[in-house]
Amino acid sequence: MQCPYCKHPDTQVIDSRSGEDGSVIRRRRRCLSCQGRFTTYEKVALSMPLVVKKDGRTRVPYSQEKLIKSMTLALRKRPVTASAIEAAVDRIEQKIRFGEKEIESKKIGDLVLAELESLDKVAYMRFASVYFNYSKPDDFAIALEKLGFSITKK
Ligand SMILES: [Zn+2]
């Protein structure tokens, strides 16, 4: 680890301790050149797969921010707490993380739909209408029926 003060490449670890839950290790270091002291934190970095877009060619890094954004948008003004959304995002990420190096954006969309379906049916419909690109009222009707709503046509 390079010294942040003098950029000397060699520093010595003088103390290590793990955080409360053991997921972070804090190391106290000392520069061998200028004797400056600083702290580093070590955390496990689980790599997330690349997301393959609909065209099958474009690949973008997975973005938790985007996922939360789209779910929050679907859940706007719905009686679902931020912590429930977080828990849903956690479950989605667990599934993504242990898969392949690449994941189709469609698969993430399916996971989001499954979570929204159990969180809030209205949010599910909002997300589904964009996701499946519903254009006809019939598309909505079919989706609503799948959710267990009965529709009476007039
Ligand atoms: Zn130094």
Side-chain angles (χ1 to χ4, degrees):
M1 181 70 66
Q2 192 188 55
C3 169
Y5 310 112
C6 73
K7 308 292 177 200
H8 187 73
D10 285 325
T11 53
Q12 183 188 18
V13 174
I14 49 178
D15 185 35
S16 287
R17 58 186 67 178
S18 55
E20 274 169 33
D21 62 352
S23 68
V24 179
I25 295 173
R26 180 181 175 276
R27 293 191 205 280
R28 198 68 189 139
R29 292 172 187 266
R30 185 178 53 143
C31 173
L32 296 178
S33 172
C34 74
Q35 308 299 315
R37 289 171 184 224
F38 61 100
T39 306
T40 56
Y41 294 91
E42 196 172 297
K43 255 183 120 169
V44 173
L46 285 168
S47 56
M48 297 300 275
L50 285 175
V51 179
V52 184
K53 299 291 233 178
K54 266 186 206 158
D55 65 11
R57 281 176 288 134
T58 317
R59 283 157 175 79
V60 294
Y62 165 80
S63 158
Q64 185 191 62
E65 202 188 319
K66 272 191 208 162
L67 183 68
I68 294 174
K69 226 178 175 177
S70 59
M71 290 188 73
T72 309
L73 194 68
L75 286 158
R76 200 166 51 92
K77 293 190 178 164
R78 298 300 303 159
V80 176
T81 62
S83 63
I85 301 176
E86 253 171 52
V89 168
D90 271 353
R91 282 191 295 272
I92 292 169
E93 290 191 341
Q94 291 277 343
K95 285 171 190 154
I96 294 173
R97 200 170 274 153
F98 297 107
E100 305 293 317
K101 288 214 170 96
E102 292 186 346
I103 186 166
E104 287 168 47
S105 57
K106 189 194 164 298
K107 279 189 187 158
I108 298 178
D110 289 343
L111 292 169
V112 171
L113 275 175
E115 288 293 338
L116 288 178
E117 190 175 358
S118 59
L119 278 177
D120 186 85
K121 304 280 192 231
V122 172
Y124 172 89
M125 283 306 296
R126 282 180 185 158
F127 189 85
S129 68
V130 177
Y131 185 62
F132 294 121
N133 206 357
Y134 293 158
S135 48
K136 305 185 297 288
D138 276 358
D139 294 339
F140 276 105
I142 292 163
L144 282 169
E145 268 166 23
K146 276 190 193 151
L147 287 173
F149 295 104
S150 57
I151 294 156
T152 353
K153 282 190 180 166
K154 284 176 188 164

Coordinates of all heavy atoms in Angstrom, one line a residue, residues 3 5-6 8 31 34, ligand 1:
C3 N 2.1 5.0 0.5 CA 1.9 6.0 1.5 C 1.2 7.2 0.9 O 1.5 7.8 -0.1 CB 3.3 6.5 2.0 SG 3.1 8.0 3.1
Y5 N 1.0 10.2 2.0 CA 1.7 11.5 2.2 C 2.8 11.7 1.3 O 2.9 12.7 0.6 CB 2.2 11.5 3.7 CG 1.1 11.2 4.7 CD1 1.2 10.0 5.5 CD2 0.0 12.0 4.9 CE1 0.3 9.7 6.4 CE2 -1.0 11.7 5.8 CZ -0.8 10.5 6.6 OH -1.8 10.2 7.5
C6 N 3.7 10.7 1.2 CA 4.9 10.9 0.4 C 5.0 9.9 -0.8 O 5.9 10.0 -1.6 CB 6.2 10.7 1.3 SG 6.5 9.0 1.7
H8 N 5.6 6.9 -1.0 CA 6.5 5.8 -0.8 C 5.8 4.5 -1.0 O 4.7 4.3 -0.4 CB 7.2 5.9 0.6 CG 8.3 4.9 0.7 ND1 9.6 5.1 0.1 CD2 8.4 3.8 1.4 CE1 10.4 4.1 0.4 NE2 9.7 3.3 1.2
C31 N 4.2 4.4 7.3 CA 5.1 4.6 6.1 C 6.6 4.3 6.5 O 7.0 4.9 7.6 CB 5.0 6.0 5.5 SG 6.1 6.3 4.2
C34 N 8.4 8.2 5.5 CA 8.2 9.4 6.2 C 7.6 9.1 7.6 O 7.3 10.1 8.4 CB 7.3 10.3 5.4 SG 5.5 9.8 5.4
Ligands
ZN1 ZN 5.4 8.3 3.6

